Amino acid sequence: MTRRTRLAVAVAGLAAAVAVVAGLGGLDAPTALAGGVGAVLLLGATWLGLRRTVVAFDRAETAPERGGDAAVPGDAFDAELADERGRALDGSSFTRDRIRARLRDLAAHLLVSRRGLTDREAERRLDAGDWTDDDAAAAFLRGDGPTPTLRERLAGADGFVRGVQASVRGLADAVDAPAPPRRSLGDGLRERAGRVGRAEGTPDREGTAGAAGSETRSTGHWTGIGALALASLGVGVAVGAPGIALGGVVAVGYLAAAGTTPPDPTAVAVEREVADTPAPGERVTVRVTVRNESDDHLPDVRVIDGVPAALSVVDGAPRHATALAPGGTDAFEYAVRARRGVHAFEAATVRTRNPTDGAERATTAAADTELDCRLRPAPAIGRGLGGAVGRFVGTTPSTTGGPGVAFHSTRAYRPGDPARRVDWNRLARTGELTTVDYREERATTVVLVVDARETARVAPEPDGETALDRSVDAAGALAGDLLAAGNRVGLAAFGPAPLWADPAATRTTEHRLLRLLTEHAAFAPAAPDGEAYAGDWVDRFCAWVDGPATVLLCSPLVDDTAVALVDRLRRAGYPVTVLSPDPTAADTVGRALAGLERRARLSNLRTGGARVVDWDADVALSTALARARRRWSP
């Protein structure tokens, strides 16, 4: 027995029960039956009016324009702090103690590095609370909670969250860093949670057709008319008013038309065209053509293209509604931002509706399409970095004489010595023919190391470019510039997926490195399973490298493991330059705190002797390198 049959039997039984009760009350059988039927119809109208019908969509269908869902540094702290907001006045926990200690340690470090204080002086000022003009921040880091406001007391809160907010703002002001806004904590988190909840949707209780099926289901657009029809019939039957009942019958006729079966969506074919091998960051136009391959007219066709999760739509929309005559076609376009890698488009979702928009059928239409986005070698002339990278890694001076620029020694002339190295002044003065040798300089072996851990897949906003993508793009550009300067260049990944490419300087080296940066699993949008430990990785690195080498590490520096990696590499004897794409924002307390902690790591590396390039998200790589080079110049 189907669900609708069971419902009909239940309604008939309820009507009969109402009629029996009415008959026992002294009413005649026809009147009792009419009253029972009317009551059941009114109950059905009430139920239908209160019922909320939502067509089941999956998240990819409702928000295909949003590409990726990158983590933002600091969001985890915001969530943790939001959990502490509702505690009582006497609330205390290990989490609170840890948060307070974390902020105090950061404050002490910033006072030492930015104001030139000693560790003891920094601790004294934190205990005294005279490091800031904000009383709430001073009290919080001193160990006293801010005095709760009246509103906090009435809400049962103790001001802990307000103390954290004040402390982060005070630290940001102390180092001239972006400070979080003075808005309620967690508003952004609630907004994002709401968007996710709305995107996931609520299943339709009348049956859900999966994307690959074609089962007919209601759109819910005629729910109000259905409630009105049942109410009219119920009132008309109960009070014996044929005119009112007739109005309900007419409405039922409309409902019958609204429930007609929509056309078969499998008759719609989808074709997709994209540009060949765009470069990362390029705007790529996607053209989608839909065609009716049946002999029937399709009055309402709705198509949602399957945009790859890693791509963001930057213009237009990947959804389209149209009507198709037999054999007819229609097309629409939208644009995505190309991202490194090979991205396969998913099957498009096709929905057909009947002319009344009351019912629909859905299916998927596959159109095998890939967007192949590879790193490209830079032109030999006019490279984007202008040959500046050589200043960051230098050359390796030798102890032997030969061609060069720094004087090494003189020796007797030998047949075949270049005339430009003859000491003509000495020949004119003494008559002796001698040759000048200079300190020979040899090209440097440079190993580009990309931080490819899960923590590097972060961005200033969920749909922004991740630090890993920026690091990979930078590594490709740096490789070409270093090779053009005559250096030997190798590649490694610091992450769970092992990658090592021996340093070389052949004509195919750049193409080999770019292919690895594009295709290797270490740089895939989803991080491979596993962990990476600085000590073990440096031990393997020492076994890989043959001879002296300079390391150029690309890392966002959002955790202490990256700092430990630099420290171990330097202790192993490898000079390290760090190129750090900044993935932080400052629009919440947690995000601002993540930015401050990253600044502290940059300071630690510089104090330890490593060269660091802080690369803001809105600054070109060449500009960031030039700024750092000016800072290093004597």
Side-chain angles (χ1 to χ4, degrees):
M1 184 181 296
T2 65
R3 181 181 179 183
R4 292 184 178 180
T5 302
R6 291 196 300 269
L7 181 61
V9 171
V11 170
L14 180 60
V18 172
V20 170
V21 173
L24 294 177
L27 296 178
D28 58 276
T31 304
L33 181 60
V37 172
V40 171
L41 291 174
L42 288 174
L43 288 174
T46 303
W47 172 79
L48 193 59
L50 297 176
R51 179 176 175 269
R52 181 174 179 264
T53 302
V54 180
V55 178
F57 294 124
D58 60 34
R59 189 175 180 183
E61 293 179 39
T62 55
E65 295 88 350
R66 181 175 179 178
D69 194 12
V72 180
D75 278 2
F77 181 85
D78 282 332
E80 185 177 50
L81 194 58
D83 292 338
E84 294 296 317
R85 181 174 47 182
R87 291 185 178 273
L89 285 170
D90 59 349
S92 62
S93 67
F94 173 77
T95 300
R96 292 191 171 200
D97 295 338
R98 178 171 50 79
I99 290 175
R100 192 189 302 269
R102 176 178 174 181
L103 289 174
R104 184 179 172 98
D105 290 344
L106 176 61
H109 179 276
L110 293 177
L111 290 175
V112 170
S113 62
R114 292 304 181 99
R115 298 188 181 180
L117 304 180
T118 64
D119 292 339
R120 179 174 297 181
E121 290 172 338
E123 292 293 335
R124 183 194 61 78
R125 296 197 64 176
L126 289 173
D127 290 336
D130 58 0
W131 62 276
T132 179
D133 295 332
D134 191 320
D135 294 338
F140 184 81
L141 294 188
R142 189 170 54 238
D144 306 326
T147 302
T149 63
L150 177 61
R151 180 179 179 182
E152 289 171 340
R153 290 182 182 275
L154 293 176
D158 58 357
F160 177 83
V161 172
R162 183 164 58 89
V164 174
Q165 293 173 318
S167 299
V168 172
R169 283 195 297 269
L171 292 175
D173 293 338
V175 297
D176 296 326
R182 295 179 180 271
R183 67 180 181 183
S184 176
L185 176 72
D187 287 346
L189 293 176
R190 286 195 295 269
E191 291 171 3
R192 288 194 292 274
R195 287 196 297 268
V196 172
R198 288 191 298 271
E200 290 176 350
T202 305
D204 183 357
R205 298 182 183 274
E206 289 299 322
T208 57
S214 59
E215 179 182 346
T216 301
R217 63 183 179 186
S218 172
T219 63
H221 288 183
W222 290 80
T223 302
I225 297 298
L228 180 61
L230 292 179
S232 299
L233 284 173
V235 172
V237 172
V239 303
I244 298 177
L246 181 60
V249 172
V250 173
V252 170
Y254 280 103
L255 288 176
T260 57
T261 302
D264 185 3
T266 61
V268 180
V270 176
E271 296 178 357
R272 188 186 299 110
E273 300 176 7
V274 298
D276 294 333
T277 61
E282 285 187 359
R283 182 177 179 275
V284 180
T285 299
V286 181
R287 180 178 176 82
V288 180
T289 302
V290 292
R291 183 175 61 258
N292 180 7
E293 296 184 337
S294 70
D295 296 330
D296 300 325
H297 184 78
L298 305 181
D300 189 341
V301 178
R302 306 184 183 202
V303 180
I304 305 175
D305 200 16
V307 183
L311 302 182
S312 298
V313 177
V314 296
D315 188 21
R319 58 184 78 233
H320 185 64
T322 186
L324 296 175
T329 61
D330 196 4
F332 63 97
E333 294 182 351
Y334 61 95
V336 298
R337 184 78 63 193
R339 184 178 178 185
R340 171 190 50 82
V342 179
H343 308 282
F345 281 77
E346 300 175 5
T349 299
V350 179
R351 299 181 181 275
T352 55
R353 295 192 175 187
N354 57 15
T356 62
D357 201 22
E360 73 171 14
R361 299 170 68 183
T363 189
T364 56
D368 295 337
T369 311
E370 288 185 345
L371 191 148
D372 191 352
C373 179
R374 299 177 178 273
L375 299 178
R376 298 176 181 176
I381 300 176
R383 284 184 177 270
L385 303 183
V389 184
R391 295 284 299 276
F392 291 82
V393 297
T395 54
T396 303
S398 70
T399 58
T400 60
V405 294
F407 176 80
H408 179 266
S409 61
T410 60
R411 59 172 173 79
Y413 176 81
R414 298 170 188 164
D417 284 347
R420 58 185 177 83
R421 290 174 54 194
V422 173
D423 189 346
W424 297 106
N425 291 333
R426 184 170 184 175
L427 176 62
R429 187 173 63 253
T430 65
E432 296 181 8
L433 192 60
T434 57
T435 299
V436 178
D437 276 340
Y438 300 92
R439 188 175 300 276
E440 185 177 359
E441 292 183 344
R442 297 171 182 170
T444 302
T445 295
V446 183
V447 179
L448 298 169
V449 179
V450 178
D451 187 347
R453 297 171 298 144
E454 179 68 31
T455 53
R457 291 165 165 81
V458 290
E461 52 189 15
D463 56 350
E465 186 179 17
T466 66
L468 175 62
D469 285 336
R470 295 175 62 197
S471 294
V472 169
D473 293 343
L478 294 171
D481 204 74
L482 289 167
L483 289 167
N487 297 286
R488 299 172 66 247
V489 181
L491 177 65
F494 177 51
L499 169 61
W500 170 253
D502 290 324
T506 65
R507 290 183 298 176
T508 62
T509 299
E510 184 175 7
H511 291 277
R512 177 170 60 95
L513 297 182
L514 293 180
R515 179 176 56 81
L516 289 172
L517 289 169
T518 301
E519 300 178 358
H520 198 276
F523 310 123
D529 294 334
E531 299 290 339
Y533 301 98
D536 296 340
W537 190 89
V538 171
D539 290 340
R540 293 195 299 270
F541 182 85
C542 294
W544 290 334
V545 179
D546 183 15
T550 295
V551 174
L552 208 163
L553 172 65
C554 299
S555 171
L557 298 176
V558 292
D559 64 0
D560 294 333
T561 301
V563 178
L565 176 67
V566 175
D567 180 63
R568 288 181 175 273
L569 286 170
R570 287 176 54 81
R571 282 191 289 168
Y574 299 103
V576 181
T577 296
V578 181
L579 173 63
S580 181
D582 185 2
T584 61
D587 52 340
T588 70
V589 175
R591 294 178 181 183
L593 176 61
L596 291 171
E597 291 176 332
R598 179 177 173 275
R599 283 178 174 239
R601 297 186 189 99
L602 295 174
S603 177
N604 284 339
L605 291 176
R606 291 182 175 121
T607 302
R611 287 183 166 183
V612 179
V613 182
D614 188 6
W615 181 19
D616 293 335
D618 57 350
V619 173
L621 176 58
S622 57
T623 302
L625 293 174
R627 291 175 179 174
R629 191 168 66 249
R630 287 194 298 269
R631 186 185 309 117
W632 298 336
S633 298

